[in-house]
Amino acid sequence: MNDIHIEIDITGMTCAGCASRLEKALAALDGVTYAGVSIASEKASITYDSDKIGLLDIANLVIDYGFNIATVNASIGIKGMSCASCAAKIEKALKEAEGVMSASVNFASGKACVEYIPSVISEQDLREVISKSGYISIKESIGVDSGKSVLPIEYYGDRLERSLFVKTAVCAIITFIILLGSFNVVNAFSNPWFLLVMASVVQFWGGYPFYKGAFVSARHKSADMNTLIAAGSSAAYFYSLALILFPDFFADAVGAHLMLHFDTSSVIITLILFGRLLEKKARGRTSDAIKHLIGLQPSTARVIKNEQEIDIPIAEVKAGDLIVVRPGERIPADGIIVEGRSSVDESMITGEFMPVTKSIGDKVVGATINQKGSFRFKAQQVGKNTFLAHIIKLVEQAQGSKAPIQRLADSIAGIFVPIVIAVAVITFLIWLKFGPSPAFTNALLSSIAVLVVACPCALGLATPTAIMVGMGKGAENGILIKSGAALETAHKLTTIVFDKTGTLTVGHPAVIDFLNLGSFSDEEVLAAAASVESISEHPLGEAIVRHAEMKSLAITKPIDFHSISGQGIKAAVDDMHVVIGNRRLIDNSASSDVVLQFIEKSAQFVNVGKTIIYIMINDSPAGIIAIADKLKEGSSKAIQLLDEMGIETVMLTGDNRHTAKAIAAQAGIKHVMAEVLPDQKASHIKSLQSQGKVVAMVGDGINDSPALAQADIGIALGSGTDIAIDASDITLISSDIGSVVTAINLSKAVMRTIKQNLFWAFIYNLILIPVAAGILYPFFGIKFNPMWSAVAMALSSVSVVGNSLLLKRFK
């Protein structure tokens, strides 16, 4: 019996009856020896036998009764992970810790995201669990207040990446020299002692991380890829060393001169180092999105102190401060306008190109851009409480919560390595007991042959070579794939979510239709409208000017220019009085008959989600301009292809529902989620994932970054923001969403190749390990010495690499 006593904070109880009901239910659980629930303290005091029942069982009962357990989410940086199996090992240890509700360890970002009950286990206890697993926990902090970021070295990785690059480059040069000497291409390099010195540098300097990792795994009674690499390369190295030290001993045993295999050990080490360098580069970019987001916040704010405007560091801004914002400046905090009015570019929040008019009483969001006017606002949320800080946290959590990609080679390494070692030991003992004379020599050679033939070179090459070729083919097709994990996941996608503006559409307003209502010609009306808008900075006005310039219309400077905020413009052009703007301006400037005429004529445009601009010349209806964000060429074709592949498509946008449905209909998308803010976008992605769907998010804006990070695959457009690109797994250089289809097909081809590679890598072992052990000797007198083991291992590597190169034919 192993009794444990805990106290859990519980929320959601509204009466003593709730506490009594829950107390009885807890006491009835098999293994619970005491249960007391207090409505006053909102705590449950429980004693239970951990051999019969677990804390998760107790927690699930509390949740089933409609109450909540107070938990804390911790993000813990981890240093020392070398493969996905390391992450799995830590994750398993954390999940087994009493008080942990859930745990996810992400090898790519070097982080553990843990939900735990603070009254049962502390964050320091979690760090000790990580330490006992053989790894180092790192404290993380993100300095939103100061605009600086303090992240663990695993995030940036610049120093580690440079060190790994140098080690890989030096080992590659030395290995090339060893190959020249081993095959007698350069006689000066063929001296065995020279080869020994060269190979020793690669084996013990280049291979040090693998020996260290193998030692840690052995200490914790497990095995991973490090164990395979260390065992295989060491067998070849020490066998060659033995040949140099005791040449007659081995020559007498086999009756022939044996070849050295320093090339085998060096090639293994160098190739695996190269693969880890590529992996390190991908991991080093995981924090770029967060760094860019932090960089959006201005470093100073202009605050009114003692009736004077003073610039102070952003970290010193407090809630309640009165802040002045001038044209073109970024807003330093979240708050409410108390004086002035302006237009604010909130595209980082909504993703929409239209600026939003702000006046007294309206909310403003930190890091958005003030455009024309100036205003004063009272700060409400500052530093880590701002909307920007919230987005940063969302991106960080989404990146850390992704399940690690479990490579097949890593998942079976814990079984494969002990089996190979056991076979080698058994082989040695059998040959020693029953083998011909000299028994010891034959036993030693046969056991070494087993280890050499089981060398993980082909196993180590199976995945990275296919991924490298696949990434190259992706680049040829305008698809930049950041990691092998993205390639491994893309073929499993069941749902693809598209942002609207800039993703499915071109991303900026354009004149779509024009309707002439008066006695002036089309050219005269458009020229007059463009002339009035020529000194406006409004995106819709710029669209009208661009349209007129494309038609080579004469644009003149207007006079008596009068801008009416949020409505439109009145001005004189070539003796014509021109009024151009939205429905509100027409309602305030025209007779009821004119208004009715405009409404009747514009209905055809409103119903399809277009923005309407009304034009009056000399108080008479002159024309209607319909402006919209055009659907990109090829968008509808891409959606059609995805439908044919059985992949569900969804539009997720911050735009209004009417416009969103109109664009979705043009593209052929049936499912639309409109008027969605950034944090809601990530929630929608989570909702789809909770339904068992494998989800990709395709976007281009800052507002898309939390959703891009949350999705199983984030796909950003090359024309999008740096933050969206950094938060994504795949970037489409051409911004053509048709490349999404190509990426999925490429993923299928790469995964098919990886499975074939792994099959051939293992089939060699399954067939040749018994042969190397001597299974053919009793029947045919065939002994498989290490030389042939190395040749067989090399052939397995050639087959794997050759199969991967076939991916170059992908179209």
Side-chain angles (χ1 to χ4, degrees):
M1 187 170 179
N2 186 17
D3 278 352
I4 295 177
H5 181 78
I6 59 170
E7 287 191 348
I8 304 174
D9 293 325
I10 297 177
T11 60
M13 295 186 295
T14 57
C15 61
C18 295
S20 177
R21 190 169 72 253
L22 179 60
E23 183 178 297
K24 288 179 181 179
L26 288 170
L29 286 173
D30 183 29
V32 173
T33 56
Y34 170 78
V37 180
S38 169
I39 182 67
S41 63
E42 292 188 315
K43 288 182 181 295
S45 182
I46 306 165
T47 302
Y48 65 96
D49 182 355
S50 62
D51 292 332
K52 293 183 177 181
I53 191 171
L55 181 58
L56 284 179
D57 298 316
I58 296 171
N60 287 333
L61 185 140
V62 173
I63 293 169
D64 288 343
Y65 269 71
F67 308 117
N68 296 314
I69 295 176
T71 60
V72 174
N73 288 297
S75 178
I76 304 173
I78 301 174
K79 184 178 178 182
M81 292 190 294
S82 59
C83 63
S85 61
C86 297
K89 188 191 308 177
I90 300 169
E91 187 173 302
K92 182 174 183 292
L94 287 169
K95 285 180 177 178
E96 290 175 350
E98 200 70 29
V100 173
M101 299 292 288
S102 65
S104 175
V105 179
N106 189 331
F107 170 56
S109 62
K111 285 171 36 175
C113 290
V114 188
E115 182 185 9
Y116 64 96
I117 303 172
S119 58
V120 179
I121 190 171
S122 67
E123 184 173 330
Q124 183 57 39
D125 293 331
L126 296 175
R127 295 182 183 279
E128 288 179 8
V129 170
I130 294 171
S131 178
K132 288 178 181 178
S133 298
Y135 304 90
I136 302 170
S137 65
I138 306 169
K139 289 189 176 181
E140 298 181 292
S141 62
I142 297 179
V144 179
D145 291 328
S146 63
K148 295 181 179 179
S149 176
V150 182
L151 295 169
I153 193 168
E154 290 283 333
Y155 271 106
Y156 295 122
D158 292 341
R159 182 175 63 83
L160 294 177
E161 191 175 305
R162 283 195 299 269
S163 174
L164 185 55
F165 174 80
V166 170
K167 182 170 287 189
T168 304
V170 171
C171 287
I173 293 170
I174 293 174
T175 299
F176 181 67
I177 294 171
I178 291 172
L179 287 170
L180 293 177
S182 297
F183 293 98
N184 294 315
V185 176
V186 180
N187 291 330
F189 297 157
S190 300
N191 183 282
W193 293 101
F194 174 79
L195 292 175
L196 172 62
V197 172
M198 293 289 100
S200 297
V201 174
V202 176
Q203 189 69 29
F204 300 110
W205 178 66
Y208 172 74
F210 309 127
Y211 281 109
K212 181 180 178 182
F215 174 75
V216 170
S217 294
R219 197 174 64 190
H220 292 88
K221 299 178 182 178
S222 63
D224 58 14
M225 205 67 176
N226 288 313
T227 312
L228 288 171
I229 297 163
S233 62
S234 295
Y237 173 84
F238 286 107
Y239 169 62
S240 299
L241 175 61
L243 286 178
I244 294 176
L245 297 177
F246 312 105
D248 295 337
F249 177 79
F250 289 96
D252 290 342
V254 298
H257 175 69
L258 297 182
M259 293 176 58
L260 300 179
H261 299 295
F262 289 127
D263 55 332
T264 299
S265 60
S266 298
V267 166
I268 293 170
I269 297 291
T270 302
L271 286 176
I272 302 301
L273 282 174
F274 181 64
R276 290 199 173 176
L277 175 63
L278 295 179
E279 190 172 53
K280 181 69 72 176
K281 280 182 172 292
R283 290 175 61 194
R285 298 191 198 99
T286 56
S287 67
D288 285 351
I290 295 176
K291 288 187 286 183
H292 279 298
L293 282 169
I294 292 172
L296 288 176
Q297 183 153 326
S299 58
T300 61
R302 188 171 292 106
V303 179
I304 297 178
K305 299 280 188 182
N306 300 322
E307 299 184 354
Q308 290 186 334
E309 295 182 9
I310 303 173
D311 287 339
I312 64 172
I314 193 70
E316 296 179 12
V317 175
K318 297 180 177 60
D321 281 350
L322 194 61
I323 301 174
V324 178
V325 183
R326 296 175 180 173
E329 293 181 341
R330 284 192 182 272
I331 298 170
D334 299 355
I336 295 179
I337 294 179
V338 296
E339 181 182 328
R341 61 184 297 130
S342 183
S343 294
V344 177
D345 177 3
E346 293 188 337
S347 58
M348 66 156 277
I349 302 172
T350 64
E352 302 303 317
F353 54 80
M354 292 290 295
V356 180
T357 301
K358 300 285 185 178
S359 57
I360 296 174
D362 290 335
K363 290 184 178 180
V364 290
V365 178
T368 55
I369 303 173
N370 181 34
Q371 290 198 323
K372 293 189 293 185
S374 62
F375 59 86
R376 296 182 178 185
F377 76 98
K378 181 175 287 188
Q380 289 185 318
Q381 285 83 36
V382 299
K384 295 181 180 179
N385 297 318
T386 63
F387 191 80
L388 175 63
H390 183 50
I391 290 181
I392 291 171
K393 191 66 177 175
L394 283 172
V395 174
E396 184 199 18
Q397 288 178 347
Q399 286 183 333
S401 64
K402 286 183 179 178
I405 300 299
Q406 294 291 335
R407 299 192 185 281
L408 181 58
D410 281 330
S411 64
I412 67 165
I415 301 172
F416 179 69
V417 176
I419 289 176
V420 169
I421 294 172
V423 170
V425 171
I426 292 170
T427 298
F428 180 84
L429 294 175
I430 291 175
W431 276 90
L432 188 63
K433 178 75 173 175
F434 304 104
S437 180
F440 180 83
T441 302
N442 284 318
L444 182 62
L445 285 173
S446 296
S447 60
I448 290 176
V450 169
L451 289 174
V452 172
V453 83
C455 171
C457 191
L459 194 62
L461 289 170
T463 298
T465 53
I467 287 176
M468 286 168 62
V469 177
M471 287 181 174
K473 290 303 296 183
E476 289 178 18
N477 288 275
I479 304 167
L480 295 182
I481 303 166
K482 290 187 177 180
S483 67
L487 267 180
E488 291 178 349
T489 305
H491 77 288
K492 302 176 184 176
L493 293 173
T494 60
T495 303
I496 300 182
V497 179
F498 292 92
D499 173 49
K500 178 181 73 69
T501 305
T503 302
L504 292 168
T505 65
V506 295
H508 57 78
V511 174
I512 305 299
D513 292 295
F514 170 72
L515 184 62
N516 194 327
L517 300 180
S519 56
F520 296 95
S521 67
D522 292 358
E523 289 76 13
E524 289 174 321
V525 177
L526 287 171
S531 297
V532 172
E533 295 285 4
S534 63
I535 59 175
S536 168
E537 296 179 356
H538 197 284
L540 297 182
E542 292 174 356
I544 294 172
V545 172
R546 283 197 305 270
H547 186 70
E549 289 174 343
M550 287 174 57
K551 290 182 170 292
S552 302
L553 301 179
I555 298 177
T556 59
K557 186 176 180 179
I559 58 174
D560 297 330
F561 182 91
H562 181 53
S563 175
I564 304 171
S565 182
Q567 298 185 34
I569 300 171
K570 295 180 180 180
V573 179
D574 296 334
D575 298 326
M576 294 183 293
H577 178 63
V578 181
V579 176
I580 179 170
N582 59 22
R583 170 73 183 278
R584 288 174 59 195
L585 181 62
I586 297 302
D587 286 342
N588 295 332
S589 305
S591 65
S592 58
D593 291 340
V594 171
V595 172
L596 287 174
Q597 185 179 354
F598 271 128
I599 293 172
E600 179 184 346
K601 297 293 184 181
S602 63
Q604 58 180 305
F605 303 130
V606 174
N607 293 334
V608 291
K610 297 175 182 176
T611 301
I612 309 304
I613 302 296
Y614 301 98
I615 307 168
M616 289 197 307
I617 297 179
N618 297 333
D619 299 325
S620 297
I624 297 174
I625 293 176
I627 295 179
D629 192 2
K630 286 183 179 179
L631 193 69
K632 281 182 181 176
E633 185 178 350
S635 290
S636 57
K637 177 64 175 176
I639 299 301
Q640 180 185 343
L641 290 173
L642 290 171
D643 286 341
E644 291 173 358
M645 295 168 68
I647 297 175
E648 176 188 25
T649 55
V650 179
M651 177 192 285
L652 190 62
T653 178
D655 206 351
N656 68 77
R657 193 169 303 278
H658 190 75
T659 301
K661 285 187 174 181
I663 295 295
Q666 294 177 41
I669 296 177
K670 299 180 181 65
H671 305 286
V672 179
M673 300 175 184
E675 300 174 5
V676 181
L677 292 177
D679 54 342
Q680 295 171 331
K681 284 189 175 185
S683 297
H684 280 294
I685 298 294
K686 281 184 182 179
S687 176
L688 290 170
Q689 290 170 324
S690 68
Q691 299 170 32
K693 297 176 180 179
V694 182
V695 183
M697 172 70 193
V698 186
D700 72 327
I702 295 171
N703 62 302
D704 298 321
S705 54
L708 286 166
Q710 175 61 44
D712 296 282
I713 292 289
I715 304 176
L717 304 187
S719 60
T721 63
D722 289 342
I723 294 164
I725 292 171
D726 291 334
S728 67
D729 304 291
I730 298 174
T731 300
L732 309 181
I733 299 173
S734 66
S735 297
D736 176 12
I737 66 167
S739 297
V740 174
V741 178
T742 305
I744 294 172
N745 288 331
L746 178 61
S747 173
K748 290 179 179 178
V750 169
M751 283 308 298
R752 184 167 57 248
T753 299
I754 288 174
K755 289 175 183 177
Q756 293 168 351
N757 286 350
L758 289 172
F759 170 79
W760 287 113
F762 282 108
I763 203 70
Y764 273 103
N765 284 313
L766 289 174
I767 294 174
L768 293 179
I769 286 177
V771 173
I775 196 171
L776 297 179
Y777 183 77
F779 306 102
F780 306 103
I782 296 175
K783 290 191 294 184
F784 205 75
N785 66 45
M787 179 179 69
W788 295 111
S789 294
V791 171
M793 182 276 298
L795 287 175
S796 68
S797 300
V798 170
S799 67
V800 164
V801 174
N803 191 48
S804 296
L805 292 175
L806 293 178
L807 277 170
K808 290 192 172 184
R809 298 186 300 185
F810 173 84
K811 293 182 180 180

